[in-house]
């Protein structure tokens, strides 16, 4: 039985994930992090017929009072890094779904995971179709040197780019930096109209009502182009399936892995 702690337990993903974990025979939900509901019982909040699930306002406080094996974090970038480091430092395994952390943050996190002989799987998106887009884009980038990324999200999403696109840019940059016919610094007019350079990849973030989450990678060559696109709906089920897969695969490695596909047989 794997004991689970959810940071961000009262958020959209957290509440749906909690219900799913309770239904799993090999998982036990033993606690959660909610800065606004400290001391409350998540089982009571969600009206679940289940043992009490205590909520805490800090990860340090939770680590001192509840025993668990895996921490799943869906919070905010300003607290996620501290949550992760606190959990890893106690030898816990971690699934990280919070976006907004930098490459330097991940270097620090990887060091803590290695020092404590534990594991963390970080992914900007746990939906299988988004994972496949990332892998297909890496393959395409090996053969087509011209590409840019468009990041779509709802108008009220505060971070840009999304975690999905930040992870994609990181991974594409490891394949190659795209060729530009005109260097960004040689752009006539507004250079920022060419998007942001994320790990050397040009990214354009669109934030409009009507969008939920979408990623588009456009590859271009003379007389041909390839467009890869992922669009998410309102439901949490695609993410939950990927999160549960991540929890299962956490025990197959140590250290940091970025991207769900790094533990999938594809």
């Amino acid at each position: 039985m794997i004991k689970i702690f959810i940071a961000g337990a009262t958020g959209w993903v957290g509440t749906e994930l909690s219900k799913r974990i309770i239904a799993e025979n090999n998982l036990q939900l033993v606690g959660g992090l909610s800065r606004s509901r400290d001391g409350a019982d998540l089982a009571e909040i969600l009206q679940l017929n289940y043992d009490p699930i205590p909520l805490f306002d800090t990860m340090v406080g939770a680590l001192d009072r509840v025993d668990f094996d895996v921490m799943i974090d869906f919070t905010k970038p300003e607290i996620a890094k501290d949550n992760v480091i606190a959990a890893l430092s106690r030898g816990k395994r971690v699934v990280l779904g919070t976006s907004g952390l930098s490459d330097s943050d991940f270097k620090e996190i990887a060091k803590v995971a290695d020092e404590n002989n534990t594991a963390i799987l970080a992914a900007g998106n746990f939906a299988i179709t988004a994972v496949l887009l990332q892998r297909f884009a890496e393959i395409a980038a090996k053969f087509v040197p011209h590409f840019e990324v468009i990041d779509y999200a709802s108008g009220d999403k505060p971070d840009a780019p999304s975690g999905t696109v930040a992870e994609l840019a990181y991974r594409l940059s490891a394949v190659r930096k795209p060729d530009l016919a005109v260097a960004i610094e040689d752009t006539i007019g507004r250079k920022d109209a060419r998007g942001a350079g994320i790990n050397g990849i040009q990214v354009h973030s669109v934030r409009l009502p009507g969008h939920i989450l979408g990623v588009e990678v456009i590859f271009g060559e003379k007389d041909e182009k390839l467009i890869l696109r992922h669009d998410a709906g309102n439901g949490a089920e695609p993410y939950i399936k990927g999160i549960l897969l991540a929890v299962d695969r956490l025990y197959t490695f140590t250290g940091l892995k970025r991207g769900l596909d790094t533990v999938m047989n594809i």
Side-chain angles (χ1 to χ4, degrees):
M1 182 71 71
I2 301 174
K3 296 179 180 179
I4 305 292
F5 183 96
I6 300 177
T10 55
W12 172 64
V13 174
T15 54
E16 294 303 313
L17 179 60
S18 297
K19 296 173 185 176
R20 180 63 177 272
I21 287 174
I22 288 170
E24 295 290 318
N25 293 327
N26 64 327
L27 303 178
Q28 180 184 4
L29 184 58
V30 297
L33 188 71
S34 176
R35 302 178 80 177
S36 63
R37 306 298 291 270
D38 181 37
D41 176 8
L42 182 62
E44 182 177 316
I45 293 171
L46 299 181
Q47 299 181 330
L48 301 172
N49 182 21
Y50 199 71
D51 293 337
I53 306 168
L55 293 174
F56 304 87
D57 61 348
T58 68
M59 181 56 62
V60 173
L63 285 163
D64 289 338
R65 295 167 60 188
V66 64
D67 179 45
F68 60 90
D69 305 304
V70 174
M71 189 269 281
I72 301 173
D73 190 291
F74 278 90
T75 57
K76 296 181 179 179
E78 58 266 26
I79 64 171
K81 178 184 172 183
D82 289 342
N83 291 343
V84 168
I85 289 177
L88 292 173
S89 297
R90 298 284 190 94
K92 311 301 183 184
R93 295 177 185 268
V94 175
V95 173
L96 176 63
T98 302
S99 61
L101 276 69
S102 67
D103 289 341
S104 63
D105 290 333
F106 281 116
K107 288 180 182 178
E108 185 177 349
I109 287 169
K111 183 173 183 292
V112 176
D114 290 338
E115 290 173 346
N116 290 276
N117 195 33
T118 188
I120 172 170
L121 176 61
N125 197 319
F126 286 91
I128 300 301
T129 53
V131 171
L132 292 173
L133 177 140
Q134 290 183 327
R135 178 56 66 89
F136 296 159
E138 287 179 301
I139 294 171
K142 294 178 181 180
F143 300 96
V144 185
H146 310 280
F147 54 91
E148 299 195 8
V149 179
I150 304 178
D151 166 30
Y152 300 93
S154 61
D156 58 359
K157 184 174 178 59
D159 57 313
S162 67
T164 304
V165 169
E167 184 68 27
L168 175 62
Y170 168 79
R171 294 177 58 167
L172 286 173
S173 70
V175 177
R176 73 191 313 158
K177 300 295 193 299
D179 293 344
L180 297 174
V182 177
I184 301 301
E185 58 270 22
D186 295 333
T187 299
I188 297 173
R190 294 290 299 268
K191 295 177 176 58
D192 53 0
R194 290 287 290 111
I198 310 294
N199 289 107
I201 311 299
Q202 289 306 117
V203 174
H204 311 264
S205 290
V206 177
R207 297 291 181 265
L208 286 172
H211 291 278
I212 298 171
L213 179 67
V215 183
E216 190 170 86
V217 191
I218 303 175
F219 296 86
E221 281 279 52
K222 184 178 180 180
D223 295 327
E224 59 180 336
K225 65 182 176 181
L226 170 67
I227 299 175
L228 301 176
R229 177 159 178 153
H230 159 77
D231 282 293
N234 285 309
E237 181 62 20
Y239 308 108
I240 290 172
K241 288 193 296 185
I243 294 165
L244 295 180
L245 175 61
V247 170
D248 179 67
R249 300 296 168 84
L250 268 180
Y251 290 85
T252 64
F253 67 95
T254 57
L256 166 70
K257 286 187 178 291
R258 293 177 64 174
L260 182 60
D261 65 299
T262 60
V263 293
M264 294 170 61
N265 296 321
I266 56 174

